[in-house]
Amino acid sequence: MHYHTENDVVALACAQCHRYFACYQCHDAIMTHKFAPADPTAKSVMCGVCHQTMDYQDYSQNECPNCHHAFNPKCVRHQDIYFES
């Protein structure tokens, strides 16, 4: 709903509820708590094409390590929302 390119295919897990969402705005719109950033070593990212889960290191390669679908390179602008420092 909030991002619309062909590369906006990942789901990100909230560290509090451990549920995957397309973005923090989608999470915050339906949950009773704010999106909590995940530990970068946790498998908190899911490819929306093949459903492979990955940690921040794999995600930061800008493509799925399993199906090689590209991810939106502009997502790095929001890494502090999704991952603990």
Side-chain angles (χ1 to χ4, degrees):
M1 174 175 170
H2 298 103
Y3 302 97
H4 305 286
T5 75
E6 67 183 35
N7 294 337
D8 290 315
V9 297
V10 300
L12 299 122
C14 170
Q16 183 172 335
C17 62
H18 306 285
R19 292 178 59 191
Y20 288 92
F21 292 86
C23 73
Y24 74 95
Q25 295 171 76
C26 291
H27 171 279
D28 291 354
I30 63 172
M31 301 303 287
T32 59
H33 61 275
K34 294 286 185 187
F35 188 93
D39 179 321
T41 63
K43 292 205 175 201
S44 61
V45 181
M46 180 188 302
C47 176
V49 176
C50 73
H51 302 148
Q52 174 77 25
T53 57
M54 63 200 89
D55 61 16
Y56 176 75
Q57 183 174 351
D58 288 338
Y59 172 62
S60 68
Q61 302 305 305
N62 291 322
E63 73 173 17
C64 178
N66 186 55
C67 72
H68 304 288
H69 191 284
F71 298 147
N72 186 337
K74 293 180 183 177
C75 288
V76 71
R77 296 176 185 168
H78 305 115
Q79 69 184 23
D80 59 326
I81 294 171
Y82 297 108
F83 303 99
E84 295 174 341
S85 307

